[in-house]
Amino acid sequence: MRTLRIILLLAGTQLRIILRNRATAVFLIIPGIILYSIFTSIFAGSAGRPFRVAVVDQDNTPASKKLIEMLRANKVKVVLHEKEDPKRPLLTEESARASILHEGLFRVVLVIPKGYAESPNMLSPNPHQGIDLIYDESQTWEAEIVTGMVQMAAGRALFEQMGGMLGSGPARRSDQTTQRGTEQTDPEKGPAQRLIQVHSAGVIKSGMPNAAKNIFLAAIVPMFIMFGAAGAARSMLEAIRRGEIRRLLAAPIGAFHIVTGQLVACVTLALIQCYAMYLYAWLVFDVGIWHITGGLFVLTLATCLAATALGMLMASLCRTAEQLDSLGPVVILAMSALGGSMVPRFVMPVFMQKLGLFTINGWAYDGFMALIRREGFWGIFMPLLVLTTTAGVLIAISSAIFARRLASKPASG
Amino acid sequence: MAVLEVRNLRKSYDRVPAVDGISFSIEEGEVFGLLGPNGAGKSTTIDIIATILKQDTGESIIRGSLSSRSKPYKYRIGYVPQELSLNDRLTAAENLTFVGKLYDLSRDELKRRVPETIDAVGLSDRAHDKVGTFSGGMKRRLNIGCAIVHHPDVVLMDEPTAGVDPHARAYIFEIVERLSAQRKAILYTTHYMEEAQRLCSRTAIIDRGNIVAVGTLNELIELVRAKREVILEADHLAPEAIGRLAAGLGNVPFRIESDRARLTLQNGGHGIVDVITKAHELGIPIRGASITEPNLETVFLELTGHALRD
C-alpha cells in the first residue's frame, strides 16, 4: 500500500510540474495531431496496396466461383463472405457493406447476386443482372480498376468456357434491360463494350481515404508515444545529472519507486495525448472510435506502458542525455519502420511482417487493426499479452540498472 | 551516547579508495565539521551515511541501535545535498509537502510542520511562490528546509553554502546554529576553513579519504604546535639579509616570495615587534609587516603537506 502511495505521489508531482506550464500542456497535444494529419495525407494514396476486394457470392454456383477464380488469377486479393455471420452481418446488408468501406477494411465490395449463373455475361441469352460494385468514393480509380479486372475475369471465364477457341464474336441484342439499370446497345455501332454489367455505388467519403485514416491512427500512435517516452527519459537523465534526485535517494524510498513513479506519469501523459489524437480523428475525419471504447482503452494503455518502458530502458542504458539523443531516434525509427508505423504492415513482404512482431509498433498495429475489424477480445488478446509482458520485463530491467547506477555514482567532493 | 556513530567506512572506485576507514561520532546538539579540499572524500562519506551510496565496509548507527541497513534509519536522517534538489515549478510549501509525504508525515503533521519549517528557514513571505523565482540563497535555505521538515535526529549538510553570497551565507549559519540549539546532531562538510571555525564545535580534517585529525580548533592547533607567521614586505629583499634576520630570531624558518618574506615563529616566542626591530637593526628596508595566527588552514597544511585550496 505504501509502495503504491509513494509511486502515485512521485507520478502526481511529476505530472503537476509538467502540466502547470500551459505551453507545455499545449505542446503535448498538438504535435500528435499534426503528425497524424501529415502522415495520413502523405501516405493516403499508397496505403492499402494491393487492395483487398470483398466478394459476396450470393449465387454460389460454378459460374460465380469461376468468376472469383479468374479475379484471383488477375492478382486481386479476394476475401469471400459466403456465410452470414449473425454477430457481424458485414456484407449481406447494404448498410453493413457501406460500413466496412467507411472503416477502411476494404476499398471495394463486389456482390454476385443470386441467379448470376443463368446469365453470367451480356452474351448470354437470358436477361443479365450484372453484379454490384460498392466502392470508396475517395478512391474512385480503384473502383475503375476493379471494374476492368471484373471484365477481364469474365472474359477469361468465357474463353475457358468456350474451350479456348475463338468464336465469331459476341452475339448482339437489339436491347438489353437489367433489373437495376439500363444499358442500351446499338447493333449498328458494334460489339458490347462490356461483358458484365457492373452497377456501381459509391460510399460517401469523409474527406480522407477510409483505410488511411484508420490505418494511420493505428500506425502513428505507437511511434508518437515512443518519441514522447524518449523525451521523458531524457528529462530523467538530466535530473540525475543535475543531482535533483539525490534527495529522493536519501528518503525512505527505492529506485523502483522512482522509476515506476516516472513511468506512471509518462503513461498518463501518453494516454492524454493518444485520446487527444483519437478525438481529433473522430471529429475531423469521422474515424469510428466509440464502438470500440473498451478495447481501445486497454490496447492504448498497453501500448503506452510498453513504449514508455522502452524509453526508460534506453535511459538506463545511456549515461548522458546526449547518448540518448543519438540512440533514441535510431531505435524508434527502426522499430516504427518495421512495425508498420510508416508503411502498413500488410503491404510488406511476409518475412518483414514477421520481423515487425519483434517491435512494439507491430503488436500495437495488429491490435488496433483487430479492433477496427471488430475481432473482439480474442482478436486483441495476443497484442495485449505481448505488450504488457514487454512492459513488465523492460521496467524490471531498467529499475535494476538504475538502482545499480544510482548506488555507485561517485560524489563530487 | 552519540546520536550518530560512523564506524570504519570504506569505499573504493576501481580500487582507488575514496573513503578509507573513516570513523567518528556526533553528539546531540553538536555541529561536527568535515574539512578538506575537493576530492578528499567528504561528499562520499556523507552520501554513504545518507545511504545514497553503498559502502564497501563499515556502517553508521543512530542512537546506538538503528543501523544504516535498517528501514527506520532513513526516517531519522535529514540530507542537505550539495546540488539544489528542488522542483522549480512547485512553490516552497509544495516542495516541503512533497518531501514530507516521502517521509510518511500525515496530513495533520504536514499542516503543522510545513509552516514551521518555512519559518525556520526564513521564507514565510515566499511560501507560496514558485521556487524558480527564488534567489540562490533562498533556494539554499529551502534546500535545508526540505531536510528538516520531518524532524530528523541527524542533519547531514554537504557544503550547504556553495555558491551563495556572504549575506545568504550568514543567514544559513544562523539556521545551522538554531538547529544545533534544537539538539540536532549536524554533520557539516566544507572546504572553507572560516565556516568550520565559525560553526563547528569539533572538526575532522579529511584528506585523500582519511581523517588525519579530529578535535576542537584549539586541540588541532595544539596537535601540530601550529606556528605564527610574520610577513614582511619590501621593495627589494636580499636573501642573505633575511637569512641573517631569521638567524637572529633563533634560526626560524623563512621563505621569500618576490617582495615578501615569511618567517615562521614559535608560539610563545618572538612577536612581530621583535621581528620589525631586528629587521631595522639589520638595515632591511621593510615597507609593511603583518602576522597570521594559526588556524585550520595552517593545521591542514602542517598535517597534509598541502594547502586547503590546492
Side-chain angles (χ1 to χ4, degrees):
Chain A
M1 199 58 206
R2 181 177 184 271
T3 298
L4 183 63
R5 184 180 63 76
I6 294 293
I7 288 168
L8 290 175
L9 169 66
L10 290 166
T13 304
Q14 186 73 3
L15 282 169
R16 198 200 299 186
I17 290 168
I18 291 169
L19 295 175
R20 191 166 268 192
N21 185 321
R22 285 192 199 125
T24 305
V26 169
F27 278 122
L28 280 171
I29 305 294
I30 298 296
I33 289 170
I34 294 172
L35 203 64
Y36 172 69
S37 302
I38 290 172
F39 263 74
T40 320
S41 302
I42 288 172
F43 292 104
S46 60
R49 283 194 192 143
F51 43 79
R52 298 157 76 227
V53 176
V55 176
V56 182
D57 186 2
Q58 292 176 335
D59 193 41
N60 203 22
T61 57
S64 63
K65 286 186 169 57
K66 191 67 180 175
L67 180 64
I68 291 167
E69 183 191 328
M70 290 299 106
L71 277 173
R72 283 198 171 119
N74 280 338
K75 309 280 186 225
V76 175
K77 193 172 168 66
V78 171
V79 178
L80 283 173
H81 290 267
E82 291 162 309
K83 296 177 187 174
E84 183 172 342
D85 180 354
K87 288 180 199 172
R88 209 176 58 178
L90 272 182
L91 299 179
T92 54
E93 298 168 6
E94 265 190 56
S95 59
R97 296 169 202 164
S99 173
I100 64 159
L101 286 171
H102 190 72
E103 289 165 15
L105 296 172
F106 295 95
R107 300 294 175 83
V108 176
V109 178
L110 286 176
V111 182
I112 306 175
K114 204 161 179 55
Y116 168 79
E118 293 166 20
S119 179
N121 54 58
M122 300 277 274
L123 303 177
S124 304
N126 299 323
H128 174 63
Q129 292 183 64
I131 63 176
D132 295 327
L133 183 148
I134 309 160
Y135 64 96
D136 182 346
E137 269 192 11
S138 57
Q139 309 255 272
T140 54
W141 57 273
E142 294 193 4
E144 290 168 11
I145 289 175
V146 173
T147 302
M149 286 180 169
V150 166
Q151 303 303 331
M152 283 172 61
R156 286 182 71 165
L158 180 64
F159 186 74
E160 287 191 8
Q161 186 189 348
M162 292 165 67
M165 302 286 290
L166 288 172
S168 55
R172 293 194 187 97
R173 292 168 45 182
S174 60
D175 182 41
Q176 185 157 322
T177 311
T178 67
Q179 283 180 346
R180 298 213 179 153
T182 302
E183 186 178 2
Q184 305 263 346
T185 51
D186 186 347
E188 304 285 330
K189 288 190 177 171
Q193 296 294 312
R194 299 180 175 190
L195 277 177
I196 286 187
Q197 184 72 9
V198 176
H199 310 288
S200 305
V203 172
I204 295 173
K205 66 181 184 294
S206 63
M208 183 171 285
N210 292 300
K213 69 186 181 185
N214 288 314
I215 288 168
F216 283 100
L217 194 62
I220 293 297
V221 164
M223 182 170 68
F224 186 70
I225 297 168
M226 286 162 79
F227 275 115
R234 191 185 200 281
S235 299
M236 192 165 165
L237 278 180
E238 282 289 291
I240 292 172
R241 184 186 64 79
R242 286 193 299 264
E244 285 174 15
I245 67 162
R246 290 182 87 73
R247 185 187 305 288
L248 296 182
L249 294 171
I253 65 175
F256 171 74
H257 294 105
I258 297 171
V259 173
T260 311
Q262 180 83 8
L263 180 88
V264 169
C266 292
V267 168
T268 306
L269 281 175
L271 278 173
I272 293 172
Q273 290 171 309
C274 288
Y275 272 87
M277 272 195 280
Y278 297 158
L279 288 172
Y280 172 76
W282 168 63
L283 283 168
V284 178
F285 300 112
D286 197 26
V287 172
I289 59 170
W290 302 111
H291 62 280
I292 50 171
T293 319
L296 186 65
F297 177 75
V298 291
L299 189 62
T300 306
L301 180 61
T303 305
C304 291
L305 272 170
T308 306
L310 177 68
M312 290 283 130
L313 179 68
M314 287 195 290
S316 69
L317 294 173
C318 296
R319 287 274 160 185
T320 65
E322 290 73 27
Q323 287 177 358
L324 183 61
D325 287 345
S326 301
L327 176 69
V330 170
V331 169
I332 294 169
L333 288 173
M335 275 201 168
S336 299
L338 285 172
S341 288
M342 296 176 187
V343 175
R345 276 166 53 71
F346 58 80
V347 308
M348 297 179 185
V350 172
F351 84 93
M352 290 293 285
Q353 290 187 36
K354 287 183 179 170
L355 211 57
L357 293 177
F358 284 97
T359 67
I360 292 169
N361 309 61
W363 285 102
Y365 179 95
D366 286 355
F368 277 114
M369 292 313 295
L371 274 180
I372 290 168
R373 287 193 293 265
R374 305 191 199 190
E375 290 178 14
F377 172 74
W378 293 109
I380 63 171
F381 175 73
M382 272 308 287
L384 276 180
L385 182 66
V386 171
L387 289 169
T388 49
T389 306
T390 302
V393 168
L394 295 182
I395 291 166
I397 295 172
S398 53
S399 289
I401 296 173
F402 267 125
R404 205 166 149 198
R405 191 204 296 186
L406 292 170
S408 65
K409 182 178 181 297
S412 56
Chain B
M1 178 195 294
V3 176
L4 175 69
E5 198 177 337
V6 175
R7 293 176 187 168
N8 204 27
L9 287 183
R10 290 181 200 276
K11 175 76 179 173
S12 297
Y13 296 104
D14 296 330
R15 295 186 196 171
V16 176
V19 172
D20 195 11
I22 283 184
S23 300
F24 58 86
S25 60
I26 309 177
E27 305 292 329
E28 229 178 42
E30 181 178 19
V31 181
F32 185 88
L34 210 53
L35 177 70
N38 287 330
K42 306 187 298 298
S43 295
T44 306
T45 301
I46 221 171
D47 283 351
I48 291 172
I49 298 170
T51 69
I52 293 171
L53 286 179
K54 200 161 162 40
Q55 68 272 32
D56 295 337
T57 59
E59 62 177 344
S60 39
I61 299 174
I62 291 179
R63 298 199 184 274
S65 59
L66 279 180
S67 163
S68 54
R69 292 184 186 87
S70 69
K71 206 173 168 192
Y73 174 94
K74 284 197 173 195
Y75 288 88
R76 310 315 317 156
I77 295 271
Y79 175 58
V80 183
Q82 191 174 0
E83 302 90 356
L84 288 169
S85 185
L86 304 166
N87 283 308
D88 273 2
R89 285 185 234 170
L90 298 181
T91 65
E94 286 169 343
N95 268 279
L96 290 172
T97 304
F98 170 68
V99 175
K101 285 181 179 176
L102 290 178
Y103 286 88
D104 300 339
L105 294 187
S106 67
R107 201 172 286 185
D108 290 337
E109 282 172 320
L110 283 169
K111 267 191 192 161
R112 187 175 51 82
R113 280 300 296 158
V114 167
E116 270 177 19
T117 307
I118 285 181
D119 245 352
V121 297
L123 291 172
S124 301
D125 55 341
R126 301 295 302 272
H128 302 292
D129 293 339
K130 284 188 195 162
V131 171
T133 62
F134 285 11
S135 66
M138 291 163 74
K139 287 182 182 177
R140 284 279 168 200
R141 282 189 262 154
L142 183 61
N143 212 29
I144 296 173
C146 288
I148 60 172
V149 67
H150 59 288
H151 248 317
D153 292 340
V154 177
V155 183
L156 309 171
M157 305 178 99
D158 192 1
E159 304 201 25
T161 62
V164 298
D165 58 57
H167 175 74
R169 180 179 290 180
Y171 207 118
I172 289 171
F173 289 167
E174 287 174 23
I175 295 172
V176 174
E177 286 163 352
R178 276 203 294 272
L179 289 174
S180 172
Q182 289 168 14
R183 313 300 296 161
K184 299 210 187 291
I186 301 170
L187 176 61
Y188 190 103
T189 74
T190 182
H191 60 263
Y192 293 114
M193 171 264 307
E194 321 72 74
E195 287 191 1
Q197 282 187 187
R198 153 92 190 253
L199 292 171
C200 303
S201 45
R202 282 190 304 145
T203 302
I205 294 186
I206 182 170
D207 189 39
R208 296 193 176 106
N210 286 301
I211 288 182
V212 293
V214 183
T216 63
L217 176 59
N218 287 336
E219 286 170 355
L220 289 172
I221 289 172
E222 190 52 41
L223 182 72
V224 300
R225 301 171 77 77
K227 304 166 182 66
R228 294 169 298 153
E229 198 174 64
V230 169
I231 301 166
L232 299 176
E233 292 173 25
D235 291 325
H236 176 68
L237 286 169
E240 308 80 36
I242 300 299
R244 284 200 298 277
L245 174 62
L249 292 168
N251 286 322
V252 298
F254 71 94
R255 63 180 193 275
I256 297 173
E257 297 164 0
S258 63
D259 64 344
R260 290 182 183 200
R262 293 175 181 267
L263 294 103
T264 307
L265 306 177
Q266 291 287 345
N267 283 340
H270 294 289
I272 189 171
V273 173
D274 300 321
V275 174
I276 293 171
T277 306
K278 196 77 183 171
H280 188 69
E281 283 174 8
L282 291 172
I284 299 172
I286 58 171
R287 67 164 192 269
S290 59
I291 187 163
T292 58
E293 293 297 332
N295 54 28
L296 280 175
E297 182 129 23
T298 321
V299 172
F300 191 90
L301 184 61
E302 287 286 334
L303 286 172
T304 65
H306 58 92
L308 194 54
R309 286 173 178 75
D310 275 352

